[in-house]
Amino acid sequence: MAKLKVNPLTRGLLTVTWLATASLVAVAQPVPYPGAPMPQGPGEFVVRQAEGAPTLSIGGTVIPYKEVTLAAQLPGRVTYLAGIEGDKFKKGDLLVALDDAELLAKRRALLAQMASADAQLRNAGMQYSREIYSPRSKTPPGGMAVPNLFDQMFTRPMESFMGERSEGAELSADLYASGTQIEQARSALMALQADLQALDSKLRDARSIAPFDGVIVRKSIEVGDTMQPRQPLLTFADVEYLQVDIDVPSRLRPGLREGMMINAELDVTHERVPVRVAQIFPMADAQRHTVKVKLDLPQGVSEPGMYVRVMVPDFSATERGNPVIPASAIRYNGSLPGVYVLDDQGRPNLRLVRLGERQPDGMVNVLSGLRPGERILGDPPPGVAAGWSSGAAPGPGPGPGR
């Protein structure tokens, strides 16, 4: 095969032309001026500062909207228990019943006493009516026929004529005595009625009724247990609506108001949910210097007793200066979080960082390890690899001969 012969002069011209073209291409590339931001390539993220007022994460507990502890009001044995933890009941349902046989016996005895007192009251009324229509003052005393007749015809008329006897006064005295018997019988009946009301109240205390729709969240008894007054029976709660109970430092109290919407993070799922400030207690704790705050949770996101972190705004602090990065940029080496930081040549270097709280928009605060303006990989691919970077500028290397 014949070789192509090139004239030396032509070869020199081709070389000069190629060098000139390369120089023009190099001149066409933009050269960043000193201090200018590096252009952001695909998959890169420029670290920036967080915006807005800082927030403080405060732990709280999920509580039911309404919760009551039913306790024994009188001694007795448990004869009925409606259910166990988790069972639902409507308002007015019977939950616990104590033995009330002794109380029922006392009630029957009181009813018998009330019937006797009512009979005495009716008898006193009849005696009063008798004094009105047939006064005893005009009734002759009993005795033999001749002396009784003598008293009616001579003794009593003579006493009335001489002023030694007043039938009107005797009639008034007899009416007053009959009226007193009526009042005494009525008072005795009212006292028995009051005793019956007190006994009925004790009978009601022997039965624990559901005060609202809810579930049993804790029971402390079983059927057959002997109870004493003030001993807890069970805890009943309305778990359809839940709240978060937190203790807020006093300095954060001015930044909260009822009806305000803030964010909370569930401890189990790490889900961010909005919560509403429902109640702010008017007085701070004298020892801890905190204010109790209750917040409404959305339905179906948590359970009573679970832990929740509430992001309370801290308007008394200065504007936050910590940088933020997307959560997708974080990679863990064991339990140590790190991000891939790009150098001036675009090479990734894995650097340890210290993370803060997570923001609602998916960003994460970085407490240390990064500075605003640095470039990182927003979502490092699986194949990326690099050495650890401390983030400090490299010092001068050893000189010749060292």
Side-chain angles (χ1 to χ4, degrees):
M1 182 176 180
K3 293 184 179 180
L4 180 63
K5 295 183 178 180
V6 180
N7 190 346
L9 180 60
T10 304
R11 182 183 303 171
L13 291 174
L14 290 174
T15 303
V16 171
T17 303
W18 180 84
L19 291 176
T21 303
S23 300
L24 290 175
V25 172
V27 172
Q29 295 293 332
V31 178
Y33 57 88
M38 297 296 294
Q40 182 175 349
E44 298 178 9
F45 179 81
V46 178
V47 180
R48 57 184 175 84
Q49 280 188 341
E51 299 177 354
T55 60
L56 186 63
S57 177
I58 298 179
T61 305
V62 180
I63 62 173
Y65 177 68
K66 290 187 291 185
E67 181 180 356
V68 294
T69 299
L70 303 178
Q73 302 298 317
L74 47 87
R77 181 174 54 88
V78 179
T79 58
Y80 176 79
L81 181 60
I84 60 175
E85 291 84 350
D87 291 345
K88 297 182 179 181
F89 298 94
K90 296 291 184 180
K91 180 180 179 180
D93 290 346
L94 178 62
L95 300 179
V96 181
L98 301 180
D99 186 15
D100 56 358
E102 182 180 359
L103 295 176
L104 291 175
K106 291 182 178 180
R107 191 177 191 277
R108 289 191 293 269
L110 273 176
L111 290 176
Q113 295 178 16
M114 289 178 61
S116 177
D118 184 65
Q120 292 178 4
L121 178 60
R122 292 197 304 270
N123 180 56
M126 293 297 296
Q127 296 300 325
Y128 187 83
S129 299
R130 177 181 177 276
E131 286 295 332
I132 295 177
Y133 297 106
S134 180
R136 286 179 296 176
S137 59
K138 295 183 179 181
T139 303
M144 299 179 66
V146 176
N148 188 16
L149 182 60
F150 184 82
D151 288 339
Q152 292 185 23
M153 297 183 64
F154 297 100
T155 305
R156 291 193 175 185
M158 186 60 67
E159 290 177 349
S160 299
F161 177 76
M162 298 180 64
E164 295 180 359
R165 183 179 182 185
S166 175
E167 293 183 359
E170 292 179 359
L171 177 60
S172 299
D174 292 339
L175 289 174
Y176 184 83
S178 298
T180 302
Q181 292 178 1
I182 294 177
E183 294 298 329
Q184 290 176 350
R186 184 180 290 114
S187 299
L189 183 59
M190 293 177 61
L192 291 174
Q193 290 175 348
D195 292 341
L196 182 62
Q197 292 176 357
L199 189 58
D200 288 341
S201 177
K202 289 185 178 181
L203 284 171
R204 287 193 299 269
D205 290 340
R207 300 162 59 88
S208 297
I209 306 298
F212 46 78
D213 296 348
V215 301
I216 298 176
V217 296
R218 187 184 305 109
K219 69 180 182 69
S220 307
I221 58 169
E222 294 292 344
V223 175
D225 285 344
T226 301
M227 309 304 298
Q228 297 297 328
R230 299 183 181 179
Q231 186 174 350
L233 301 173
L234 54 83
T235 302
F236 191 75
D238 179 8
V239 296
E240 183 178 1
Y241 303 100
L242 300 178
Q243 292 183 322
V244 181
D245 186 7
I246 60 174
D247 292 324
V248 178
S250 300
R251 64 182 179 86
L252 301 181
R253 166 62 183 86
L256 295 175
R257 65 181 184 277
E258 293 187 1
M260 179 180 180
M261 300 297 296
I262 56 179
N263 291 315
E265 181 178 348
L266 305 179
D267 184 60
V268 177
T269 61
H270 300 287
E271 179 185 0
R272 289 269 180 141
V273 295
V275 293
R276 185 180 69 89
V277 179
Q279 181 183 9
I280 302 176
F281 281 50
M283 185 174 180
D285 187 274
Q287 283 75 31
R288 303 173 58 187
H289 303 291
T290 57
V291 179
K292 184 175 291 294
V293 179
K294 291 184 178 181
L295 307 103
D296 291 335
L297 269 176
Q299 288 184 268
V301 299
S302 186
E303 298 292 339
M306 291 187 176
Y307 183 76
V308 176
R309 286 184 292 270
V310 181
M311 308 306 168
V312 180
D314 186 5
F315 294 103
S316 62
T318 57
E319 293 292 324
R320 69 177 75 182
N322 295 331
V324 292
I325 59 174
S328 59
I330 303 171
R331 291 294 181 267
Y332 286 89
N333 184 14
S335 61
L336 301 177
V339 296
Y340 285 97
V341 182
L342 301 177
D343 57 13
D344 295 339
Q345 287 74 32
R347 295 190 300 266
N349 293 301
L350 188 58
R351 183 185 300 177
L352 282 174
V353 293
R354 182 164 166 258
L355 302 179
E357 64 183 23
R358 187 182 297 266
Q359 301 298 324
D361 55 357
M363 309 297 286
V364 181
N365 279 352
V366 179
L367 303 181
S368 62
L370 286 178
R371 295 185 302 272
E374 291 185 302
R375 296 182 303 154
I376 63 173
L377 292 180
D379 190 5
V384 67
W388 287 98
S389 173
S390 62
R402 294 186 181 181

